[in-house]
Amino acid sequence: QQQVKQSPQSLIVQKGGISIINCAYENTAFDYFPWYQQFPGKGPALLIAIRPDVSEKKEGRFTISFNKSAKQFSLHIMDSQPGDSATYFCAANEYGNKLVFGAGTILRVKS
Amino acid sequence: DSGVTQTPKHLITATGQRVTLRCSPRSGDLSVYWYQQSLDQGLQFLIQYYNGEERAKGNILERFSAQQFPDLHSELNLSSLELGDSALYFCASSVAGSQETQYFGPGTRLLVL
């Protein structure tokens, strides 16, 4: 059962463009929503996170938009750079313990 | 560098064997989590320990077990290995166990032949 659905599976963006990755969830018990970035051969690294009482959070070029009523959240990467090429995972924290991950989005930024 | 260390980095073994993966959390972190990453299942939570005690269990097989020692390092034991156990195994740590950011280690790549 996929509790966090992530799309698209892969994404190609031109340098300087905006990358948008979407996630949706069903479990209303989720209370913390992080995004992780993973490069080949490395562990996931926390990028940015949001709690459900906030509708938007921005850190540098990365913004999370959160829609609690629709149970959806998304990651926007502004001014995308080739160095942003990686796999991105959305996740949701259940009961303060385990993270439930989306399937991942492979982002390629073309220079 | 997240501050979480895992050894070994790579492990090649045969079916039916037993292996132990080791994780040292970030300094000050009390909670350790184990995850499995495979192409078909994605990133799956296995188990969590908090200050030496099991806190939560996920999709962990009965052939797998874990523990957290008094110095807070953790070991994941995988036994009677099968080809399908080939995957990346990640350890993550957090200060506590509730709504805390989890920091991931570099992982152990296990190949079962």
Side-chain angles (χ1 to χ4, degrees), chain B:
Chain B
D1 184 3
S2 67
V4 178
T5 61
Q6 289 187 248
T7 57
K9 190 164 184 172
H10 301 279
L11 200 48
I12 302 175
T13 187
T15 55
Q17 295 299 304
R18 172 190 169 95
V19 297
T20 298
L21 313 183
R22 182 187 169 105
C23 166
S24 292
R26 295 186 321 153
S27 176
D29 284 1
L30 299 178
S31 209
V32 169
Y33 310 77
W34 286 97
Y35 292 85
Q36 179 192 60
Q37 185 176 36
S38 61
L39 283 174
D40 54 344
Q41 295 290 325
L43 265 164
Q44 297 276 325
F45 168 75
L46 296 178
I47 196 165
Q48 178 203 2
Y49 277 81
Y50 174 74
N51 204 20
E53 300 290 326
E54 183 183 303
R55 170 72 71 92
K57 227 170 185 176
N59 302 320
I60 187 165
L61 300 172
E62 285 192 13
R63 301 183 285 109
F64 296 0
S65 64
Q67 55 184 325
Q68 186 179 27
F69 294 86
D71 67 352
L72 301 177
H73 90 272
S74 178
E75 293 181 356
L76 179 67
N77 300 294
L78 315 177
S79 62
S80 302
L81 285 167
E82 303 174 0
L83 296 177
D85 297 327
S86 297
L88 270 166
Y89 291 85
F90 288 105
C91 166
S93 73
S94 68
V95 172
S98 178
Q99 290 195 353
E100 295 292 338
T101 298
Q102 294 183 25
Y103 296 91
F104 281 73
T108 293
R109 183 176 293 277
L110 173 66
L111 181 59
V112 182
L113 300 175

Side-chain angles (χ1 to χ4, degrees), chain A residues 3-110:
Chain A
Q3 295 194 53
V4 178
K5 294 184 179 179
Q6 183 172 347
S7 63
Q9 193 172 8
S10 63
L11 182 61
I12 299 175
V13 173
Q14 287 292 129
K15 179 182 175 182
I18 303 174
S19 304
I20 302 174
I21 304 170
N22 301 300
C23 286
Y25 65 97
E26 288 296 327
N27 188 346
T28 55
F30 290 150
D31 56 8
Y32 174 68
F33 300 86
W35 284 87
Y36 283 84
Q37 179 190 56
Q38 185 178 27
F39 293 103
K42 304 290 186 183
L46 179 70
L47 203 56
I48 186 172
I50 198 167
R51 302 194 191 280
D53 54 344
V54 176
S55 61
E56 186 174 283
K57 183 175 182 181
K58 184 175 180 178
E59 288 184 2
R61 296 184 294 111
F62 301 93
T63 300
I64 300 179
S65 298
F66 190 88
N67 186 329
K68 189 174 180 178
S69 60
K71 290 185 281 187
Q72 295 175 347
F73 57 111
S74 60
L75 175 69
H76 290 63
I77 306 175
M78 313 299 288
D79 187 27
S80 299
Q81 299 297 312
D84 296 331
S85 297
T87 301
Y88 292 81
F89 293 93
C90 62
N93 189 305
E94 183 177 4
Y95 305 120
N97 300 120
K98 67 179 183 180
L99 283 173
V100 179
F101 283 88
T105 296
I106 300 172
L107 171 65
R108 181 183 161 207
V109 181
K110 294 173 68 175

